Amino acid sequence: FTIPLFTGNGCNDFLPIPGILTAPWMVEMIRTVTNMYDHGWDERNGGNVSLLLEESQVNDYVDGAVLREIPTGFSCPELDGKYFLVTGTGKYFKNVQYAPEINLGLVRLTDGGETAQLLWGFADGGKFTSEFPAHMMSHAERLKVDPQNRVVMHCHPANLLAMTYVHSLDEKAFTRTLWQMCTECIVVFPDGVNVLPWILCGTNEIGEATAEKMRTARLVVWAQHGIYGAGKDLDETFGLIETAEKAAEIYMKIAHLPLVNTSTDEQMHQLEAHFGVKAREGYLS
Ligand code: 2HA
Ligand code: ZN
């Protein structure tokens, strides 16, 4: 697809501000959610993505005028003053490329995270994803562990979801199974995968539980629902979920068949040494 280059506000030819749809971070967001949809991870309004931006990245494209103030329903003082490009509630990833200004919004948090100031987008009167608490609380926790973290991504990949119906939800067991399915899994997610039991989505409760799990891993599975990933950019976070989902796909192909070969912990240790990664403490023998 091609991204319309000069449709940011309909009259860019007469304004000194370059169209926000040409911002590299906007282009990347639109491409990423389109790719997620194309992978089948985001049926209907499923999934949500938030991207933390620096003021310097945003300033070139918006004049700072606040279009609306939207209460968030939670407090998150760590993120006060921070900017996020985020997908909208009820919006379809399928449609983002055709109407970014309706399906995405750019917000700045104020009041200790209790208010989101809308700077661009949600043009039909909409607002940020119902999973905004899980996203913001996860950003706050990941930033403590990794100051480079910029992305929180949620989606519903079929094989990871299927796995939560037939595999133990024990985090170590779940992680080890995924590591054993593709050689490079342990290199891509040496911290493993944390798992939450079913909790009502769209609530501060699941947001707090997700953020707590984000302290020790960049992937958090929501049983019977989907997965959360976090990372330093959209490409890397997409790749993280893609790798876990590939492993789950292999598992769902072989789980019902007699197992003849498997990856050993000794092989995992070789991978650790060769790629310079450290597997989650206590997860390998
Ligand atoms: O509707 O995926 O978890 C968006 C979601 C909620
Ligand atoms: Zn979901």
Side-chain angles (χ1 to χ4, degrees):
F1 74 99
T2 52
I3 293 168
L5 285 182
F6 301 107
T7 57
N9 49 33
C11 52
N12 286 330
D13 293 349
F14 309 102
L15 290 173
I17 301 177
I20 194 169
L21 296 185
T22 67
W25 41 266
M26 180 70 77
V27 172
E28 195 64 16
M29 178 67 124
I30 294 170
R31 287 186 177 159
T32 301
V33 297
T34 302
N35 198 15
M36 292 172 77
Y37 175 74
D38 290 344
H39 274 66
W41 300 349
D42 298 278
E43 73 291 341
R44 199 174 183 274
N45 62 319
N48 22 79
V49 180
S50 57
L51 170 66
L52 170 61
L53 294 165
E54 305 300 326
E55 188 173 4
S56 58
Q57 291 175 281
V58 169
N59 273 347
D60 286 345
Y61 303 100
V62 291
D63 59 12
V66 176
L67 306 176
R68 273 188 280 145
E69 295 212 323
I70 312 171
T72 64
F74 58 87
S75 125
C76 202
E78 301 99 314
L79 299 181
D80 198 282
K82 297 221 179 291
Y83 295 79
F84 292 93
L85 180 65
V86 60
T87 53
T89 182
K91 300 300 192 243
Y92 296 17
F93 277 20
K94 174 172 72 70
N95 296 335
V96 172
Q97 63 175 311
Y98 305 111
E101 197 162 353
I102 289 175
N103 295 289
L104 301 174
L106 176 66
V107 298
R108 176 176 54 212
L109 293 184
T110 58
D111 296 338
E114 289 181 35
T115 303
Q117 297 179 316
L118 182 65
L119 305 176
W120 172 88
F122 301 144
D124 63 349
K127 66 175 201 170
F128 40 74
T129 167
S130 59
E131 304 295 358
F132 204 55
H135 278 254
M136 295 302 110
M137 294 173 193
S138 292
H139 274 286
E141 286 309 321
R142 281 314 301 171
L143 284 170
K144 289 179 197 162
V145 188
D146 174 12
Q148 302 301 319
N149 198 83
R150 294 290 177 274
V151 175
V152 172
M153 183 180 284
H154 166 64
C155 54
H156 307 157
N159 294 288
L160 279 164
L161 230 156
M163 210 174 139
T164 68
Y165 289 89
V166 297
H167 193 284
S168 153
L169 297 181
D170 175 77
E171 289 169 347
K172 181 174 166 183
F174 204 95
T175 296
R176 285 180 52 84
T177 296
L178 291 178
W179 282 350
Q180 286 164 354
M181 293 303 112
C182 309
T183 293
E184 292 188 357
C185 277
I186 195 166
V187 181
V188 177
F189 48 97
D191 293 340
V193 175
N194 284 341
V195 184
L196 283 179
W198 189 92
I199 302 174
L200 184 63
C201 54
T203 60
N204 287 352
E205 186 201 355
I206 202 168
E208 283 155 17
T210 306
E212 206 261 322
K213 291 291 184 190
M214 282 280 179
R215 284 180 201 162
T216 48
R218 292 185 298 145
L219 286 167
V220 179
V221 166
W222 284 5
Q224 298 137 268
H225 183 136
I227 192 162
Y228 268 74
K232 68 174 166 33
D233 59 40
L234 288 160
D235 218 23
E236 189 212 44
T237 313
F238 181 96
L240 180 65
I241 292 177
E242 187 181 27
T243 306
E245 168 62 2
K246 169 61 87 60
E249 181 179 358
I250 314 279
Y251 177 76
M252 295 307 297
K253 281 186 199 291
I254 66 162
H256 57 293
L257 300 172
L259 198 64
V260 179
N261 304 302
T262 190
S263 301
T264 64
D265 283 21
E266 160 52 24
Q267 290 165 344
M268 304 272 180
H269 286 304
Q270 286 186 41
L271 288 161
E272 279 186 296
H274 186 73
F275 288 96
V277 297
K278 185 80 195 76
R280 176 99 159 245
E281 193 63 43
Y283 273 34
L284 293 178
S285 52

